[in-house]
Every structure is written in C-alpha cells, then in structure tokens.
Amino acid sequence: QVQLLESGGGLVQPGGSLRLSCAASGSIRSVGAMGWYRQAPGKQRELVATITRAGSTNYADSVKGRFAISRDNAENTVYLQMNSLKPEDTAVYYCNGDLLIRASIRYANYWGQGTQVTVSS
C-alpha cells in the first residue's frame, strides 16, 4: 500500500519550533514534487510550502523566513522545519506528493492523513 506518513506534530508555545516529517512508503519507483498544506478550523486547506525533486522551493507569504522545507530523495522523505511559531500557525498539516508507483507509468498525487500542530501558551 502506497502512503504518505506524517510525524512530528504537537503542542508548542508561541516562538517555539517543530519539525514535521513525511515519508513515502510502499512500492514506489520515484517521488516527484512534495509539499505541505494546512487547514485550520473553519478555513480552507492552504499551501504552506512545496519542493521539487531538484530542490526548488516555494512558500506561502505567511511562513516565509520562518519555515523551511527540505527533502531526502534517498529516503523518500520531506521535512518542514517550523520556527518562530505563532498561534495562527495552528492547524492540521498535510503532506502531499506526486508518486510514481511500480505498476504505473504516470505520477499520481497522494495526501497524508495529517498531523495536528497547536501553538498556544
């Protein structure tokens, strides 16, 4: 079963840091672009950051300078380092990725189950 597994969420005080991880597992031949999205209560899911296989990154304006996305292609894993966290960063964070599974000739888009990040004193 191909899936994206997130980890690293939790409760942190304002100004603190967290590091999220997302590992692609299963019969995967290749992993393309990956990214992180978030959804706060009562709001639509929004892009946080994306990274191509070559390492080009893109960030939402609200997290520029505070968050950093990175990846390990050998481990099929993407990370999100979150610093200077604010209460408004509270949301469920979802991993997203384009995966090429062994039985296919095309990349397909997958979502993880999400991990809760709560920023509160």
Side-chain angles (χ1 to χ4, degrees):
Q1 173 120 7
V2 176
Q3 56 185 337
L4 296 174
L5 298 174
E6 301 114 331
S7 62
L11 173 64
V12 64
Q13 292 187 341
S17 298
L18 280 176
R19 189 191 194 208
L20 305 182
S21 300
C22 171
S25 64
S27 299
I28 299 168
R29 291 170 52 194
S30 179
V31 178
M34 300 188 78
W36 291 94
Y37 293 71
R38 67 186 181 187
Q39 187 167 17
K43 295 187 177 182
Q44 290 189 331
R45 191 173 298 188
E46 63 177 4
L47 179 145
V48 176
T50 61
I51 185 168
T52 67
R53 184 171 179 82
S56 296
T57 59
N58 179 54
Y59 295 93
D61 288 342
S62 59
V63 306
K64 283 181 180 177
R66 300 188 298 122
F67 291 10
I69 189 170
S70 60
R71 64 188 290 164
D72 182 336
N73 289 334
E75 298 294 330
N76 291 334
T77 300
V78 64
Y79 305 96
L80 185 68
Q81 178 66 44
M82 305 185 293
N83 300 324
S84 302
L85 282 161
K86 305 175 182 179
E88 51 263 44
D89 294 318
T90 296
V92 178
Y93 283 70
Y94 296 91
C95 177
N96 178 269
D98 292 329
L99 308 181
L100 180 63
I101 65 174
R102 295 193 185 281
S104 179
I105 59 172
R106 295 184 180 87
Y107 284 85
N109 190 256
Y110 289 81
W111 289 93
Q113 292 296 312
T115 185
Q116 177 70 46
V117 172
T118 302
V119 184
S120 176
S121 55

